[in-house]
Amino acid sequence: MSKVASISLMQESSSIRDIDIKYKNVLIRVDFNVPMDKDFNISDDTRIREALPTINYCIDNQAKSIVLVSHLGRPKGRNPNFSLKHVIKRFERLLNREVFFAENIESAKRQQDMNTHQVILLENIRFYEGETKNDKELSKKLASLCDVYVNDAFGTSHRAHASTYGIAEFVPQKVAGILLKKEIDNFAKVINNPLRPLLLIVGGSKVSSKLGLLQKVLDVVDKIIIGGAMSNTFLMALGYNMQKSLIEADLINDAIRIMKVARKKNVKIYLPVDIVSTDSIELPKQIHITPSQDIPENLIAADIGPASVKLFTQVITSCQTVIWNGPLGVYEINQFSRGTFNLAHTLANTYAFSFIGGGDTTDAIDKAGQRENMSFVSTGGGASLELLEGNILPAFEVLDKKPKILLV
């Protein structure tokens, strides 16, 4: 199935706006997996904010009860460091109403039976071992809390877990939330009928995590910029000595093959022409800017250089649609953030439709102060990659479809 067909099929999912939820128990799978520091201070509450339209829609349309299910991190057992108790105060302030915190499914059920029009936040669903195993019994227990299941967690929509997939088998109505629909509709803009040229900027640390994407996206895009540690493997495939830089040597042949296929398909791939290298990422004592093929001995590539920024700027400004997934350097460290931040400023100042996907990319855009100037910032990284690869996300597979309208 083509990428266009896959996304069109997912767009056919019924939305919460397509059904009547009055006096019904609604369970919403949200994504409150927000970043926190060691003192549990939330550094970015975007995912909570993005869930509010669906929750408020249920409140405004007199749902009998609203149970919210989310994960937080990857806990092993009931680790209190991953409790959603750390999230509830911020959530209550953003929602502007009191929320009942349920330690377990049984507590949520009791509260649901005692009070109407109650918003209930269930403890971290990954505290249940059966969640990631898509356990049928856990799915049934979750389903017992609702008449309507709403998936509004795009960030986990590529996972076939109990709360994103298994539950749907036992609920009479299962629909997409407002955020989930917004995500897939914006993705359709950049894949189904994009303004061209269409550019993919891809970065991050590993080729392996995005190898499938690079192989499949060549039929869709016109140009690709590869940066970050990913580009090291491609530069080595060209014969450059990348010294101590992070390399995936077993993927060099794959990189060569991708570049050959791109040439055949007339897709232009752009790699860094100069590199900012250092002796240490955490405690740099030496920092050099050199052509990509002349990295000083024993140094590590940490960012793209100024000539690469100039080249990539020209590429970005020549395109009408830009998809960006992955930073182009170690942007968390001030000395190695310039490449990523400069390109964020460039993209913000174009008239291109800009689609930002991935947690690190979003964080980098935030640190550059340019989130508000991007056309769309996705709440999912892995899910975005799956969509780019042309896959149907498991979460959409189990949702009700809009009825077909027959023309007489």
Side-chain angles (χ1 to χ4, degrees):
M1 184 179 291
S2 71
K3 293 178 176 63
V4 171
S6 297
I7 291 173
S8 297
L9 191 65
M10 287 183 275
Q11 283 186 289
E12 292 174 7
S13 299
S14 290
S15 162
I16 190 170
R17 289 182 167 133
D18 298 326
I19 63 171
D20 182 12
I21 59 170
K22 192 173 184 179
Y23 306 140
K24 292 181 180 179
N25 292 318
V26 179
L27 184 148
I28 309 173
R29 179 45 162 106
V30 293
D31 184 5
F32 286 179
N33 185 32
V34 293
M36 290 184 282
D37 64 20
K38 60 183 178 62
D39 297 314
F40 307 113
N41 296 307
I42 296 172
S43 56
D44 183 2
D45 60 13
T46 300
R47 286 177 171 171
I48 300 175
R49 291 177 184 272
E50 291 286 0
L52 296 179
T54 297
I55 298 167
N56 282 320
Y57 181 88
C58 292
I59 293 170
D60 294 344
N61 286 274
Q62 302 180 58
K64 184 179 179 183
S65 70
I66 303 163
V67 179
L68 306 176
V69 176
S70 179
H71 74 286
L72 180 62
R74 296 178 179 177
K76 295 181 179 178
R78 286 186 169 263
N79 186 334
N81 290 332
F82 295 94
S83 173
L84 284 170
K85 284 181 179 178
H86 304 306
V87 170
I88 195 163
K89 285 186 179 179
R90 177 72 63 89
F91 174 47
E92 286 182 321
R93 187 160 75 248
L94 292 171
L95 189 63
N96 197 28
R97 67 180 288 155
E98 186 177 353
V99 175
F100 179 82
F101 185 78
E103 297 278 358
N104 49 52
I105 294 173
E106 293 73 24
S107 173
K109 183 66 175 172
R110 286 194 299 271
Q111 184 68 17
Q112 196 178 47
D113 293 340
M114 288 167 50
N115 295 282
T116 57
H117 308 301
Q118 175 84 48
V119 178
I120 302 165
L121 176 62
L122 180 66
E123 178 60 285
N124 191 342
I125 191 61
R126 287 190 182 169
F127 282 1
Y128 290 87
E129 187 178 341
E131 162 64 358
T132 56
K133 296 179 179 179
N134 191 25
D135 179 71
K136 183 166 281 195
E137 290 307 310
L138 178 57
S139 297
K140 285 180 179 178
K141 284 183 179 180
L142 289 170
S144 72
L145 296 172
C146 64
D147 310 301
V148 177
Y149 166 69
V150 182
N151 193 324
D152 211 30
F154 180 73
T156 57
S157 59
H158 59 308
R159 307 290 189 193
H161 292 172
S163 67
T164 60
Y165 189 86
I167 182 177
E169 181 182 348
F170 308 104
V171 182
Q173 289 183 295
K174 43 269 185 185
V175 297
I178 294 168
L179 172 61
L180 202 67
K181 290 293 288 183
K182 183 171 73 169
E183 290 272 6
I184 201 67
D185 288 344
N186 273 279
F187 215 92
K189 286 184 183 179
V190 301
I191 295 297
N192 285 9
N193 190 27
L195 293 172
R196 293 189 180 274
L198 168 56
L199 165 68
L200 171 65
I201 304 174
V202 61
S205 59
K206 292 183 177 180
V207 175
S208 54
S209 63
K210 295 171 184 174
L211 183 63
L213 164 65
L214 291 170
Q215 290 172 334
K216 293 181 180 180
V217 81
L218 294 174
D219 290 324
V220 178
V221 303
D222 303 298
K223 303 179 183 184
I224 302 175
I225 288 174
I226 301 176
M230 276 189 68
S231 63
N232 298 338
T233 302
F234 281 84
L235 291 170
M236 180 164 272
L238 295 177
Y240 297 177
N241 186 342
M242 299 308 292
Q243 299 296 334
K244 297 288 185 178
S245 304
L246 178 63
I247 297 292
E248 291 176 278
D250 57 326
L251 295 179
I252 287 176
N253 287 335
D254 292 284
I256 292 171
R257 185 165 57 252
I258 287 168
M259 289 188 284
K260 284 182 178 178
V261 173
R263 279 194 293 272
K264 287 181 181 177
K265 293 180 180 289
N266 202 28
V267 175
K268 294 182 179 179
I269 292 181
Y270 298 86
L271 295 166
V273 292
D274 61 344
I275 295 288
V276 178
S277 58
T278 182
D279 58 330
S280 169
I281 299 295
E282 293 79 17
L283 297 169
K285 294 178 181 176
Q286 298 182 52
I287 296 177
H288 298 272
I289 301 173
T290 62
S292 299
Q293 62 268 41
D294 292 329
I295 298 175
E297 189 174 357
N298 292 327
L299 295 195
I300 308 162
D303 194 11
I304 59 173
S308 299
V309 169
K310 188 171 183 180
L311 170 64
F312 294 168
T313 294
Q314 292 173 344
V315 177
I316 290 170
T317 53
S318 72
C319 293
Q320 295 296 312
T321 305
V322 179
I323 304 169
W324 188 351
N325 190 295
L328 303 186
V330 189
Y331 73 94
E332 302 93 335
I333 308 295
N334 186 52
Q335 294 97 319
F336 313 122
S337 64
R338 193 168 295 177
T340 298
F341 289 178
N342 279 340
L343 293 191
H345 300 318
T346 296
L347 183 55
N349 288 322
T350 69
Y351 291 101
F353 183 90
S354 49
F355 185 101
I356 309 301
D360 286 343
T361 323
T362 302
D363 185 46
I365 295 296
D366 277 338
K367 283 182 166 60
Q370 296 293 356
R371 175 190 283 260
E372 298 303 318
N373 294 318
M374 299 300 163
S375 305
F376 186 75
V377 179
S378 176
T379 57
S384 294
L385 289 178
E386 292 283 337
L387 285 178
L388 275 171
E389 289 180 28
N391 300 323
I392 295 178
L393 304 182
F396 286 89
E397 291 177 4
V398 296
L399 298 180
D400 295 333
K401 297 295 183 283
K402 293 178 181 177
K404 298 288 185 182
I405 299 175
L406 298 177
L407 298 177
V408 180

